């Protein structure tokens, strides 16, 4: 039991150091939104720090770190491709303007309110990556691990394919002003968010083989809550409903989160 606190301290230090370095870069280039690109790779860092400092079963450690790496690098590369070269995200621009209007130093405020806050969330959500690698019992990868990996794979497919389909849709000038309702987006308004939640539940199930793996349940619960109520579905839906009138019809026929068959037109009137 003494090992887990040591691993948790090591990962916390690694996250703070990495985010502090990233924050310094953001101050120089005047773009706080680069932290969004680091969200996925930050979990990769956390997973491998836990790997280095823990003494669990090698196969389980490699499985957990490998799943985190697959997800984190894919997301980081995608966000870098999507965001770099387009300036600071409007959300952070608005925060910067409010701080300047109040006579506050945005650079200093962003360290605590953006970087350290996201670092704290990252550390909490990464608890299954830490706990799952720590204990050496059971001494082999079992059924729960493979069930969790299968759920992870479903979530990864929804997130990656959903992002690809949306990027292809937006990249076609003929679709300007239209609502994306094709592919996975026909069955859920947010296949990427559903996939993200799903894969974190999968990782959690992998760690349930660990004697205290259930401690990490806060991670998928928190991630699902954030995706549904804070930074994901609710935030995006408000914006889309205001800017695209056709989105209301899309909402009426399409599940918000869980993939379900679209409602027939006759059921909407």
């Amino acid at each position: 039991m003494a090992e887990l606190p040591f691993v948790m301290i090591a990962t916390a230090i690694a996250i703070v150091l990495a985010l502090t370095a990233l924050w310094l870069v953001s101050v120089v280039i005047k773009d706080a939104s680069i932290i969004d690109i680091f969200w996925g790779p930050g979990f990769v860092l956390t997973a491998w720090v836990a790997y280095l400092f823990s003494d669990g079963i090698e196969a389980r450690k490699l499985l957990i770190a490998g799943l985190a790496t697959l997800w984190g690098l894919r997301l980081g590369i995608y966000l870098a491709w999507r965001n770099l070269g387009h300036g600071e995200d409007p959300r952070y621009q608005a925060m910067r303007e409010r701080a300047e209007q109040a006579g506050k130093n945005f650079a200093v405020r962003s360290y605590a309110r953006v970087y350290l806050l996201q670092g704290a969330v990252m550390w909490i959500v990464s608890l299954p990556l830490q706990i799952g690698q720590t204990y050496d019992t059971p001494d082999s990868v079992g059924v729960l691990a493979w069930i969790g990996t299968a759920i992870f794979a479903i979530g990864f497919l929804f997130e990656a394919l959903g992002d690809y389909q949306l990027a292809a849709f937006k990249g076609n000038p003929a679709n300007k002003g239209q609502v994306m309702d094709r592919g996975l987006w026909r069955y859920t308004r947010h296949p990427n968010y559903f996939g993200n939640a799903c894969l974190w539940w999968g990782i959690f199930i992998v760690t349930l083989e660990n004697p205290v793996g259930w401690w990490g349940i806060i991670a998928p619960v928190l991630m699902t809550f954030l995706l549904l109520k804070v930074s994901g579905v609710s935030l995006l839906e408000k914006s889309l409903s205001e800017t695209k009138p056709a989105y209301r019809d899309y909402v009426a026929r399409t599940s918000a989160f869980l993939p379900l068959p679209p409602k027939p037109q006759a059921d909407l009137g």
Side-chain angles (χ1 to χ4, degrees), residues 20-237:
T20 299
L22 190 68
W23 169 74
L24 291 173
V25 173
S26 79
V27 172
V28 173
I29 67 174
K30 293 182 171 57
D31 185 353
S33 59
I34 59 174
I35 190 173
D36 294 341
I37 298 172
F38 183 73
W39 177 251
F43 287 94
V44 179
L45 171 67
T46 305
W48 287 104
V49 169
Y51 176 89
L52 290 174
F53 286 94
S54 61
D55 295 322
I57 297 300
E58 186 71 8
R60 188 178 300 109
K61 289 173 60 176
L62 285 174
L63 175 61
I64 292 171
L67 293 178
T69 301
L70 178 64
W71 169 74
L73 290 184
R74 202 274 330 164
L75 182 61
I77 292 170
Y78 169 72
L79 291 179
W81 169 80
R82 190 188 71 177
N83 296 351
L84 290 179
H86 297 284
E88 189 173 50
D89 185 282
R91 294 171 298 160
Y92 299 101
Q93 289 180 10
M95 293 174 63
R96 186 183 296 274
E97 291 173 3
R98 287 196 298 269
E100 292 173 351
Q101 291 171 0
K104 305 293 184 178
N105 187 314
F106 175 74
V108 174
R109 288 165 69 92
S110 68
Y111 181 62
R113 298 192 177 190
V114 176
Y115 283 76
L116 291 185
L117 177 60
Q118 289 201 32
V121 174
M122 182 183 297
W123 184 81
I124 293 171
V125 173
S126 69
L127 283 176
L129 306 178
Q130 303 175 54
I131 297 170
Q133 297 190 64
T134 302
Y135 298 94
D136 57 4
T137 53
D139 59 4
S140 62
V141 174
V143 174
L144 274 178
W146 297 122
I147 292 174
T149 300
I151 294 173
F152 171 93
I154 293 170
F156 184 83
L157 176 64
F158 266 83
E159 184 181 61
L161 185 56
D163 282 341
Y164 171 78
Q165 290 175 342
L166 183 61
F169 178 83
K170 288 183 174 180
N172 185 346
N175 295 325
K176 185 175 182 180
Q178 297 186 31
V179 173
M180 171 55 164
D181 58 357
R182 310 165 194 175
L184 295 178
W185 300 81
R186 183 170 182 265
Y187 304 99
T188 165
R189 303 199 298 271
H190 302 280
N192 47 353
Y193 293 155
F194 166 76
N196 191 295
C198 190
L199 64 85
W200 277 105
W201 280 103
I203 291 175
F204 166 68
I205 291 172
V206 171
T207 67
L208 284 179
E209 292 193 327
N210 184 299
V212 294
W214 60 272
W215 290 0
I217 195 171
I218 187 175
V221 169
L222 177 60
M223 179 62 81
T224 305
F225 173 77
L226 291 174
L227 290 169
L228 286 172
K229 301 298 184 181
V230 182
S231 61
V233 172
S234 60
L235 183 65
L236 185 59
E237 297 244 309

Side-chain angles (χ1 to χ4, degrees), residues 186-188 253-255 258-264:
R186 183 170 182 265
Y187 304 99
T188 165
R253 67 177 183 269
T254 310
S255 170
L258 296 175
L260 296 171
K263 295 179 181 178

